[in-house]
């Protein structure tokens, strides 16, 4: 190591934990050797040094599974390259279920593992005995065995990565603290340290539990917070050997062999946030005082689970900080607030498992200028500004730490950090039986208790399960109201962006695949494509005036969509855009009776001839002046009614009161999702991502290659679209309808073709109008294969280890001719 830091480099990495070392290592292997890594104290200090070092094979998505699988493969061979042992060995892991709901989760995960190429075995209690004979299995209903799961030495893994990076020219400096980050014209220019300034093109924030504060140096949003994290060590156990890692999530505990002892780690459901007033300046290889009262309920469960503990006793108690994020997903990618500021932090206690692959993906992201694959679930752009609030974070991470070991039921809602982003209609909906869910902090009704049950005192509260949950019948009523009469739901949380200026049309022609040079009042459905014609956004665009457009997208996508617009804004373009989400409210009125209901409240002619699909109008609705958009995300005749926020209660009361004559029902987001899945409408982040070609997603109809050229050139992704169209799609998105009406689909269920696992569902819900669960998923095919050729195969789905027969279609099974929305 050099003794003095350089004044200039290409990349500065802040943080010398395992993730920072991995990013440096992988950048060097991609040819970025002009890299400086700065560590405030010593490499591995902070969190890496006391990590448990568990290295699993399985995550909830394909790309994150490949990320952690890569980590194990890398650690297995790293010693040969660097000479520093990682201690990695594949001792396998066993997870135990103490109840049937947990066992169903395990079986569903084992089904998904087949898609990911992970070797997972579902075992009975008797089969488990041969794997872990030290454990009490009397109340165990089943478990899973993953033979290639492993463990390693966290500090040595980091040191091995650091040596590999140094061998290729990366400079690593310890005891150098970054005190500020410089930027100019919204772009990184370097860092300030206690030993001098460094100019750089790129900064990577790998600050671990300091990453939030590092981000704040330059106004970037990196929401994470440290929690106390506990483990205990038994005295040595003779003949222990290299036992598998054992997880008992129902008891918030895991067990691993550690130098002849057994380490018991905890993921308790009510964790203790730490460092709310800042992390001590001298914090390095430190630990936090033990809290035995906090640990004892879980250690008592451990004593029953591991009877040998009675004789062994507990020799060591450890409490060290680890950082957690609001949703238990990583923080990765380029920060939207500053160009060329990247972050890789918030690994939620699986940093060792993720670090190898995360470093690889981050390096490829930095070098390539875009994510190497779909990483939206961990993309830092998903986070909202309010989530960086310290009080919010302290509340939320007290729950998110333990959620890692909770049963990950469908439709799960966090209970902490709630209630900040509320509609003016919050109390209106609450009084009418709303059960709320949260998306991007917005409180949104997901379903409503029926008026009759509300009078009887039924509580609007989730009762989670893997089957039909307690709100299933309410959901059916809402879904069928949209299909048969009329339903109403709120759209305040949906992202709304305004683009204005004399170049607004030309700019959006460049950004959008569809043609937005339309008449004023026309609505256009379009995608924003990347250079590979993958889908970066899925939106509607309304031309409100000659130089004024409204973009409406998903609730989670406001930051992402704003960032895409900003990073692709041509120099000199005479237009501006801003987030207008909070500027007006919107109520959607959908269903066969929607026209009659609205027509009874206005003198504007809402007939199909006067107001066709995809058009807008200004009209009076009672005493309110509103703007009506005729379109749908549920596959029915309907309108989205926009109006000033302060009109919210008046408009809602008016529609509900008059709606009684037309059998209006208040609906939640679950019915919106089930109706759109039934209609095979795509959902960004599930069915369509930046990795999915727009043509293969079945959205080629929304791409206009021959549209009027923009002054800024052809639209982004045009060449890749044309190339694929000439060649023919090699994947198709299909719809699946189960034959058994009792089985539930959520997403991630494996798709089998002629008995072999070939893919998985990207979406799943219950299609009440179709009479069973319905899902969407991609199938590989020969380029240009006909519908008949694709449908000639036999398709089935696997749900919790059981193969289920299903009907399949390349067209929407519900109203394939779109007759219901164009009347």
């Amino acid at each position: 190591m050099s003794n003095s830091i350089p004044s200039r480099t290409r990349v500065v990495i802040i943080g010398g934990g395992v993730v920072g070392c991995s990013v440096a290592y992988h950048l060097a292997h991609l040819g970025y050797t002009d890299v400086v890594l700065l560590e405030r104290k010593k490499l591995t200090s902070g969190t890496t040094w006391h990590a448990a070092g568990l290295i699993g094979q399985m995550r909830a998505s394909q790309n994150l599974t490949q990320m952690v699988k890569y980590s194990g493969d890398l650690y297995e061979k790293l010693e040969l390259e660097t000479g520093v042992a990682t201690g990695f060995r594949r001792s396998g892991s066993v997870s135990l279920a103490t109840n049937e709901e947990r066992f169903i989760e395990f079986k569903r995960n084992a089904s998904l593992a087949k898609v990911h190429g992970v070797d997972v075995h579902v075992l009975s209690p008797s089969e488990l005995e041969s794997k872990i004979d030290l454990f009490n299995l009397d109340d165990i209903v089943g478990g899973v065995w993953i033979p290639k799961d492993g463990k390693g030495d966290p500090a040595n893994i980091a040191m091995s990565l650091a040596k590999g990076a140094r061998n290729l020219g990366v400079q690593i400096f310890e005891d150098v603290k970054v005190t500020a980050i410089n930027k100019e014209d919204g772009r990184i220019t370097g860092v300030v340290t206690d030993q001098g300034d460094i100019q750089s093109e790129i900064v990577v924030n790998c600050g671990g539990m300091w990453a939030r504060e590092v981000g704040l140096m330059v106004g970037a949003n990196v929401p994470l917070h440290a929690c106390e994290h506990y483990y205990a060590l038994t005295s040595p156990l003779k003949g222990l050997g290299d036992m598998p890692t054992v997880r008992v999530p129902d008891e918030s505990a895991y067990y691993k062999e550690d130098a002849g002892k057994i380490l018991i780690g905890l993921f308790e459901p009510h964790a203790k946030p730490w460092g709310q007033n800042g992390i001590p300046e001298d914090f390095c290889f430190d630990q936090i005082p033990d809290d035995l009262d906090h640990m004892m309920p879980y250690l008592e469960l451990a004593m029953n689970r591991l009877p040998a503990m009675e004789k062994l006793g507990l020799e060591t108690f450890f409490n060290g900080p680890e950082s957690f994020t609001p949703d238990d997903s990583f923080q990765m990618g380029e920060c939207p607030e500053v160009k060329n500021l990247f972050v890789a932090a918030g690994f939620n206690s699986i940093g060792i498992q993720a670090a190898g692959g995360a470093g690889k993906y981050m390096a490829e992201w930095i070098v390539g200028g875009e994510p190497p694959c779909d990483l939206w679930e961990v993309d830092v752009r998903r986070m909202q500004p309010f989530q960086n609030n310290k009080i919010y974070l302290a509340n939320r991470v007290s729950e998110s730490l333990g959620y890692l070991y909770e049963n990950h039921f469908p439709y799960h809602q966090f209970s902490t950090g709630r209630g900040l982003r509320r509609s003016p209609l919050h109390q209106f909906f609450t009084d009418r039986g709303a059960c709320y869910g949260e998306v991007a902090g917005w409180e949104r009704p997901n379903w409503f208790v029926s008026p009759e049950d509300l009078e009887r005192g039924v509580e609007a509260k989730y009762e989670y399960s893997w089957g039909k949950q307690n709100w299933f019948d309410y959901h059916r009523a809402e879904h069928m109201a949209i299909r048969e009469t009329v339903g109403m739901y709120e759209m305040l949380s949906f992202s709304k962006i305004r683009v204005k200026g004399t170049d607004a049309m030309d700019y959006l022609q460049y950004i959008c695949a569809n043609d937005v040079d339309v008449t004023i009042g026309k609505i256009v459905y379009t995608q924003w494509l990347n250079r590979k014609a993958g889908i970066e956004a899925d939106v509607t665009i309304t031309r409100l005036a000659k130089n004024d457009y409204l973009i409406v997208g998903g609730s989670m996508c406001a930051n992402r969509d704003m960032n895409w617009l900003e990073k692709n804004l041509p120099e000199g373009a005479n237009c501006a855009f801003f987030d207008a989400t909070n500027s007006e409210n919107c109520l959607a009125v959908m269903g066969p009776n929607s026209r009659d209901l609205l027509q009874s409240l206005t003198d504007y002619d809402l007939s199909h001839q006067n107001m066709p699909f995809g058009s807008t109008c200004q009209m009076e609705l009672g005493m309110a002046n509103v703007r009506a958009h005729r379109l749908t995300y549920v596959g029915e005749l309907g309108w989205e009614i926009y109006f000033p926020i302060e009109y919210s209660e008046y408009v809602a009361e008016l529609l509900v009161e008059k709606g009684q004559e037309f059998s209006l029902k208040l609906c939640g987001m679950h019915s919106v999702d089930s109706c759109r899945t039934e209609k095979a409408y795509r959902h960004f982040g599930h069915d369509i991502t930046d990795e999915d070609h727009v043509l293969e997603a079945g959205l080629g109809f929304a791409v206009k290659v021959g549209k009027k050229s923009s002054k800024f050139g052809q639209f982004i992704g045009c060449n890749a679209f044309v190339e694929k169209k000439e060649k023919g799609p090699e994947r198709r998105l299909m719809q699946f309808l189960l034959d058994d009406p009792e089985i539930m689909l959520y997403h991630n269920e494996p798709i089998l073709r002629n008995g072999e696992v070939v893919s998985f569902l990207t979406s799943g819900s219950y299609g009440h109008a179709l009479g069973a669960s319905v899902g969407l998923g991609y199938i590989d095919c020969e380029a240009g294969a006909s519908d008949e050729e694709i449908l000639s195969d036999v398709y089935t789905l696997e749900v919790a280890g059981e193969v289920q027969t299903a009907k399949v279609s390349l067209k929407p099974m519900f109203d394939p001719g779109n007759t219901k929305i164009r009347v």
Side-chain angles (χ1 to χ4, degrees):
M1 281 189 237
S2 172
N3 292 324
S4 60
I5 64 173
S7 61
R8 183 185 298 273
T9 188
R10 189 173 195 179
V11 181
V12 170
I13 298 170
I14 303 173
V18 67
V19 174
C21 292
S22 181
V23 173
Y25 171 90
H26 286 92
L27 279 173
H29 274 273
L30 290 177
Y32 270 42
T33 55
D34 189 8
V35 175
V36 170
L37 185 150
L38 303 176
E39 165 53 45
R40 60 181 287 277
K41 293 295 184 180
K42 301 296 181 184
L43 294 183
T44 78
S45 63
T47 296
T48 295
W49 72 277
H50 66 72
L54 305 182
I55 302 161
Q57 294 279 291
M58 184 73 179
R59 300 298 296 164
S61 69
Q62 180 76 35
N63 289 335
L64 292 193
T65 296
Q66 297 309 312
M67 178 188 292
V68 299
K69 286 177 69 177
Y70 172 84
S71 293
D73 294 342
L74 173 65
Y75 303 157
E76 203 164 32
K77 63 185 182 183
L78 200 56
E79 180 180 357
L80 185 63
E81 176 188 344
T82 67
V84 178
T86 63
F88 179 76
R89 54 199 188 277
R90 296 191 187 275
S91 51
S93 76
V94 170
S95 294
L96 303 177
T98 66
N99 58 73
E100 288 295 336
E101 289 284 8
R102 177 71 73 174
F103 196 32
I104 291 172
E105 181 187 35
F106 285 175
K107 288 188 285 188
R108 293 182 73 98
N109 289 343
S111 291
L112 181 60
K114 297 175 183 178
V115 176
H116 296 338
V118 177
D119 187 18
V120 177
H121 304 268
V122 178
L123 302 181
S124 66
S126 60
E127 291 171 317
L128 289 165
E129 288 179 13
S130 64
K131 302 289 184 189
I132 46 169
D133 56 357
L134 289 174
F135 288 79
N136 173 11
L137 304 178
D138 290 348
D139 61 341
I140 297 301
V141 300
V144 291
W145 160 246
I146 306 180
K148 289 192 176 182
D149 273 2
K151 55 193 174 186
D153 183 317
N156 272 12
I157 289 171
M159 290 300 190
S160 187
L161 289 164
K163 185 174 182 184
R166 282 198 302 268
N167 288 346
L168 293 173
V170 173
Q171 297 182 73
I172 297 176
F173 297 90
E174 297 180 316
D175 299 309
V176 178
K177 182 179 179 181
V178 174
T179 58
I181 301 174
N182 293 329
K183 68 176 180 178
E184 187 175 325
D185 297 328
R187 183 182 296 274
I188 288 295
T189 59
V191 300
V192 178
T193 82
D194 56 5
Q195 296 184 29
D197 297 357
I198 305 176
Q199 294 181 29
S200 67
E201 301 170 20
I202 296 166
V203 170
V204 189
N205 177 2
C206 299
M209 58 185 171
W210 289 270
R212 175 180 178 273
E213 284 65 37
V214 171
L216 288 174
M217 290 178 182
V218 70
N221 184 42
V222 186
L224 53 79
H225 197 295
C227 280
E228 299 185 10
H229 197 37
Y230 300 89
Y231 65 74
L233 273 170
T234 69
S235 56
L237 178 61
K238 289 184 180 180
L240 178 60
D242 198 11
M243 81 170 199
T245 298
V246 177
R247 295 179 178 86
V248 191
D250 296 315
E251 296 172 353
S252 307
Y254 67 86
Y255 305 79
K256 59 162 278 194
E257 181 274 334
D258 191 291
K261 305 174 183 180
I262 298 178
L263 181 150
I264 304 113
L266 304 180
F267 282 92
E268 69 279 15
H270 302 290
K272 295 177 66 177
W274 179 79
Q276 293 97 314
N277 297 319
I279 300 169
E281 178 62 30
D282 60 353
F283 196 88
C284 188
F285 295 103
D286 297 284
Q287 65 184 82
I288 305 168
D290 298 327
D291 185 343
L292 293 180
D293 289 341
H294 186 79
M295 297 176 71
M296 195 50 65
Y298 309 100
L299 293 178
E300 288 175 355
L301 292 172
M303 289 176 188
N304 173 66
R305 187 62 57 204
L306 187 64
M309 280 178 61
E310 278 193 34
K311 296 179 181 178
L312 294 174
L314 295 175
E315 188 175 87
T316 304
F317 297 93
F318 185 88
N319 180 11
E322 294 197 27
S323 60
F324 294 83
T325 64
D327 58 2
D328 270 342
S329 290
F330 316 152
Q331 311 277 23
M332 292 179 62
E334 186 176 15
C335 295
E337 300 86 357
V338 190
K339 291 180 180 178
N340 285 352
L341 175 66
F342 291 82
V343 62
F347 285 90
N348 301 288
S349 199
I350 62 166
I352 307 301
Q353 172 179 297
K360 176 179 184 291
Y361 285 9
M362 280 305 307
E364 292 172 350
W365 198 330
I366 292 165
V367 173
E370 61 184 9
C373 56
D374 171 36
L375 294 172
W376 175 231
E377 65 190 298
V378 297
D379 194 318
V380 70
R381 292 176 296 173
R382 77 189 186 279
M383 306 312 301
Q384 307 299 311
F386 83 89
Q387 292 177 302
N388 221 16
N389 178 280
K390 288 187 294 185
I391 294 175
Y392 165 83
L393 284 169
N395 287 331
R396 174 54 64 86
V397 298
S398 68
E399 181 181 7
S400 62
L401 181 151
Y403 182 61
L404 288 164
Y405 271 36
E406 289 290 328
N407 195 323
H408 291 78
F409 287 117
Y411 310 109
H412 168 267
Q413 303 294 324
F414 284 104
S415 60
T416 53
R418 296 286 297 272
L420 180 63
R421 304 184 85 178
R422 285 185 282 189
S423 159
L425 294 175
H426 186 85
Q427 191 60 49
F428 178 88
F429 290 135
T430 299
D431 293 343
R432 289 159 177 79
C435 182
Y436 288 93
E438 176 214 350
V439 173
W442 286 105
E443 298 292 334
R444 312 191 305 179
N446 275 348
W447 52 274
F448 287 82
V449 174
S450 69
E452 300 78 18
D453 284 352
L454 195 61
E455 286 186 10
R456 294 192 299 108
V458 173
E459 190 176 359
K461 183 178 180 181
Y462 281 95
E463 295 174 11
Y464 296 117
S465 78
W466 285 100
K468 295 177 179 177
Q469 296 185 11
N470 62 311
W471 46 272
F472 184 83
D473 289 339
Y474 303 138
H475 174 242
R476 179 197 293 118
E478 295 172 27
H479 183 111
M480 294 312 296
I482 291 173
R483 291 285 181 247
E484 297 176 345
T485 56
V486 60
M488 184 180 87
Y489 55 89
E490 188 183 39
M491 292 179 56
L492 173 60
S493 67
F494 283 56
S495 165
K496 305 171 192 73
I497 299 172
R498 293 288 282 271
V499 181
K500 293 188 174 188
T502 55
D503 285 340
M505 185 274 289
D506 276 296
Y507 173 47
L508 289 175
Q509 286 287 70
Y510 172 65
I511 290 290
C512 300
N514 210 337
D515 187 356
V516 298
D517 186 12
V518 293
T519 57
I520 294 171
K522 180 71 174 175
I523 304 168
V524 177
Y525 172 57
T526 186
Q527 287 71 45
W528 301 349
L529 307 182
N530 54 37
R531 306 294 172 185
K532 301 174 185 176
I535 300 170
E536 293 287 345
D538 182 67
V539 298
T540 61
I541 295 186
T542 304
R543 195 169 197 176
L544 298 177
K546 179 181 179 181
N547 298 320
D548 185 1
Y549 287 82
L550 170 67
I551 302 169
V552 179
S555 300
M556 284 290 294
C557 296
N559 290 340
R560 179 191 179 106
D561 293 350
M562 286 286 289
N563 179 244
W564 186 257
L565 289 171
E566 183 176 357
K567 72 191 296 185
N568 290 290
L569 181 66
E571 189 174 348
N574 186 12
C575 65
F577 44 87
F578 59 94
D579 186 346
T581 300
N582 301 330
S583 65
E584 53 185 357
N585 201 349
C586 177
L587 288 171
V589 181
M590 298 286 159
N593 293 351
S594 59
R595 176 181 284 122
D596 293 339
L597 166 57
L598 293 172
Q599 193 68 78
S600 70
L601 295 169
T602 186
D603 57 6
Y604 187 88
D605 181 3
L606 296 176
S607 67
H608 182 68
Q609 293 73 25
N610 189 57
M611 191 178 183
F613 184 79
S615 63
T616 69
C617 73
Q618 299 287 339
M619 71 183 192
E620 294 179 354
L621 197 69
M623 294 191 297
N625 295 322
V626 304
R627 189 180 70 252
H629 293 212
R630 188 180 166 194
L631 72 165
T632 181
Y633 189 50
V634 294
E636 295 287 345
L637 173 69
W639 280 261
E640 295 172 0
I641 310 298
Y642 289 83
F643 46 84
I645 288 280
E646 62 269 25
Y647 293 1
S648 295
E649 286 193 89
Y650 171 80
V651 174
E653 289 168 354
L654 179 71
L655 288 168
V656 167
E657 181 177 353
K658 188 65 175 178
Q660 295 177 20
E661 300 175 23
F662 302 90
S663 301
L664 174 76
K665 194 163 197 61
L666 293 177
C667 298
M669 287 295 106
H670 289 338
S671 58
V672 176
D673 186 60
S674 59
C675 284
R676 74 92 190 164
T677 308
E678 194 172 57
K679 187 68 174 76
Y681 285 159
R682 282 58 164 155
H683 182 276
F684 184 81
H686 283 91
D687 314 305
I688 47 178
T689 71
D690 54 15
E691 214 172 354
D692 298 313
H693 193 284
V694 65
L695 190 64
E696 295 179 336
L699 299 174
F701 67 89
V703 180
K704 299 295 186 291
V705 173
K707 69 181 180 178
K708 178 182 176 182
S709 297
S710 163
K711 65 186 287 186
F712 303 114
Q714 64 184 11
F715 66 87
I716 301 170
C718 180
N719 290 338
F721 175 80
V722 171
E723 181 181 338
K724 178 68 71 174
K725 190 167 186 179
E726 291 173 351
K727 182 180 179 182
E730 298 170 273
R731 300 167 75 223
R732 297 285 297 275
L733 190 65
M734 297 177 64
Q735 192 175 37
F736 301 78
L737 177 67
L738 287 181
D739 291 328
D740 188 339
E742 297 303 314
I743 304 297
M744 300 297 290
L745 296 176
Y746 300 112
H747 76 285
N748 277 345
E749 293 84 359
I751 300 169
L752 291 79
R753 180 169 55 200
N754 301 328
E756 293 187 10
V757 173
V758 293
S759 189
F760 59 95
L761 293 186
T762 54
S763 285
S765 189
Y766 202 92
H768 291 284
L770 293 176
S773 287
V774 62
L776 302 174
Y778 286 93
I779 292 293
D780 290 341
C781 62
E782 295 293 328
S786 68
D787 291 2
E788 292 74 18
E789 289 173 317
I790 294 171
L791 295 173
S792 65
D793 291 319
V794 176
Y795 297 93
T796 52
L797 300 175
E798 182 172 314
V799 182
E802 300 291 331
V803 175
Q804 305 291 335
T805 58
K807 300 176 181 66
V808 297
S809 177
L810 289 164
K811 297 179 181 179
M813 296 185 191
F814 181 84
D815 188 27
N818 290 329
T819 57
K820 294 172 70 66
I821 66 174
R822 298 182 184 275
V823 294

